[in-house]
Amino acid sequence: MDVGIVKEFGVLELCDDLRSEGWPDEAKDFTPWLAEHLSMLGEVTDLEFEGKAKTEQVFTTFRADIVTHTIGSNSKTVVIENQLTPSDHDHLGKLLTYASCLDARILIWIVKEVADEHCAAVRWLNDNTGWGIEIYLVQLQLWRIGDSKVAPKFVLIEGPSWDLKEKRLEKLKADSSQEDLVREFWKKFNAEVFSRNNRYRSLIPLIRRTEAKNNYKLLGNSNSKRQIMLFINWSDQSISLRMYINGNNDWFRQLKTQKATLEELAGTNRIDWTENPKRSHFQITRPNSPLQDTYQWNTYIDWFYQKAIAAYNFVQSHPMKEKKENQEQ
């Protein structure tokens, strides 16, 4: 009987120290490397990231390891927290803080080893947060065969439970009609913003609305030179703020050139401009904000509150230039 050729195979060995074998310094070595290899992380999370990621992003008193966005019309802000050591409470707290400040919808925590309690914490967060929130816990490993170079590998430990989120959203839809939800949301909005500060109340003469309409007038009316309106967009599950400019497109175009201020105003959200001879407007939209997700109502109210004040201050700091009437020769 002929004996086939017996080949020798190497043995996969898991490297114990990520720093000595791979990246000596987390901020200087690993974070820049990951920013260039996000596609590897995308393979295990089933996410596709933009080509440009911001590393060591400074925001007020904290520094986020990586901030990026997913690709597509429904782009989401992503915050990544790196940890070349076993998981701990400190890094989980940082991740949640960064995400809340940046209004991130996707949170990714990369660690060397995963403690059972942190696995349970991420699972609980995924099960009890809104439809638009995704939290991933990923283990980073280094492998080699014999004397070969080390090879990095990402292993998904925890991710969002889409079946559970879908069931909860369907239950919310069944429990409340669209009109009931809209009515209750505006009632809560009224109560919240009127309890905050006098500046907001004097800034925007609110029309107390409790009827089930998808828009909310904050400033002025259809005959005013400017008007702020809030919208609940039921069809695409988003919320938005719209600033109308009536009858002065020269001023509208002037506002549009204030790029730095506009980027600060919009933040991570999309801003769209629509010019019309009689009534132009710009709109800031927050995607992935289904009204059925009542757990997120306070988040939506905070967003409306902050954007309304910012939009008002924006137009106030760029006064409208009245059109000059043609003088008779």
Side-chain angles (χ1 to χ4, degrees):
M1 180 177 178
D2 293 336
V3 178
I5 299 174
V6 178
K7 294 184 179 181
E8 285 192 18
F9 293 93
V11 177
L12 279 171
E13 297 178 359
L14 180 63
C15 302
D16 182 61
D17 192 341
L18 296 178
R19 295 185 185 275
S20 63
E21 299 281 359
W23 306 272
D25 187 276
E26 181 183 296
K28 295 179 181 179
D29 301 315
F30 179 70
T31 298
W33 175 86
L34 179 60
E36 297 295 325
H37 296 82
L38 285 177
S39 59
M40 293 179 62
L41 187 59
E43 289 177 3
V44 298
T45 57
D46 198 25
L47 297 169
E48 190 173 2
F49 305 103
E50 286 182 347
K52 296 181 180 179
K54 297 179 181 179
T55 60
E56 299 300 321
Q57 192 71 18
V58 178
F59 293 91
T60 60
T61 60
F62 64 84
R63 187 189 302 267
D65 289 339
I66 293 180
V67 179
T68 186
H69 296 84
T70 56
I71 293 175
S73 57
N74 197 19
S75 178
K76 300 178 182 178
T77 301
V78 183
V79 173
I80 302 174
E81 176 68 9
N82 304 322
Q83 187 175 357
L84 298 183
T85 54
S87 62
D88 57 39
H89 302 340
D90 178 62
H91 283 77
L92 175 57
K94 287 178 179 178
L95 177 64
L96 297 176
T97 302
Y98 302 162
S100 65
C101 292
L102 298 171
D103 195 23
R105 315 304 289 169
I106 298 176
L107 295 68
I108 302 177
W109 185 15
I110 300 174
V111 299
K112 177 190 174 185
E113 297 172 4
V114 183
D116 291 342
E117 60 267 28
H118 297 134
C119 224
V122 171
R123 188 181 310 119
W124 182 88
L125 286 167
N126 273 318
D127 291 347
N128 291 277
T129 51
W131 173 258
I133 303 295
E134 305 172 33
I135 308 173
Y136 298 86
L137 178 57
V138 178
Q139 184 180 17
L140 172 63
Q141 300 176 344
L142 282 178
W143 291 85
R144 67 152 46 96
I145 301 176
D147 296 327
S148 69
K149 294 181 180 180
V150 292
K153 180 182 180 181
F154 292 112
V155 179
L156 180 64
I157 305 299
E158 288 290 341
S161 174
W162 295 117
D163 288 343
L164 185 62
K165 287 178 180 283
E166 183 71 34
K167 288 177 181 177
R168 195 178 77 177
L169 193 60
E170 289 301 320
K171 184 178 184 301
L172 287 169
K173 287 180 179 178
D175 290 345
S176 300
S177 70
Q178 177 177 337
E179 289 187 357
D180 290 340
L181 280 174
V182 172
R183 182 183 294 108
E184 289 304 312
F185 178 81
W186 289 133
K187 286 172 67 176
K188 183 175 177 64
F189 177 86
N190 272 329
E192 288 288 330
V193 298
F194 268 85
S195 68
R196 296 199 177 192
N197 58 51
N198 291 327
R199 180 185 177 213
Y200 191 83
R201 294 198 292 272
S202 61
L203 172 67
I204 299 172
L206 289 165
I207 298 175
R208 293 176 176 266
R209 167 162 286 159
T210 56
E211 61 265 32
K213 293 189 177 180
N214 286 4
N215 59 70
Y216 195 111
K217 297 177 184 177
L218 286 180
L219 174 69
N221 53 48
S222 59
N223 296 320
S224 303
K225 293 178 180 178
R226 61 179 179 270
Q227 179 186 21
I228 295 176
M229 294 188 71
L230 309 180
F231 287 86
I232 297 169
N233 308 306
W234 198 269
S235 59
D236 66 359
Q237 304 286 274
S238 68
I239 58 176
S240 59
L241 175 143
R242 190 176 294 180
M243 170 69 81
Y244 286 99
I245 309 297
N246 296 324
N248 192 332
N249 279 342
D250 290 337
W251 185 52
F252 179 75
R253 297 184 195 108
Q254 176 192 345
L255 294 177
K256 195 174 179 179
T257 63
Q258 308 300 313
K259 185 175 181 181
T261 308
L262 288 168
E263 288 179 351
E264 182 178 353
L265 171 62
T268 58
N269 303 123
R270 186 180 79 246
I271 184 165
D272 299 304
W273 296 79
T274 302
E275 186 169 331
N276 186 283
K278 293 183 178 181
R279 197 171 186 230
S280 300
H281 70 266
F282 66 81
Q283 176 171 302
I284 305 169
T285 301
R286 186 185 193 275
N288 306 303
S289 304
L291 198 66
Q292 301 97 317
D293 192 352
T294 54
Y295 293 92
Q296 296 296 312
W297 278 13
N298 285 334
T299 301
Y300 302 162
I301 290 170
D302 286 339
W303 186 88
F304 275 139
Y305 178 88
Q306 293 165 9
K307 295 303 179 187
I309 289 180
Y312 180 87
N313 290 337
F314 172 59
V315 297
Q316 286 294 96
S317 62
H318 298 84
M320 180 184 295
K321 294 181 179 179
E322 300 290 347
K323 292 182 178 180
K324 295 181 178 181
E325 298 293 338
N326 293 329
Q327 299 181 354
E328 294 182 0
Q329 299 287 329

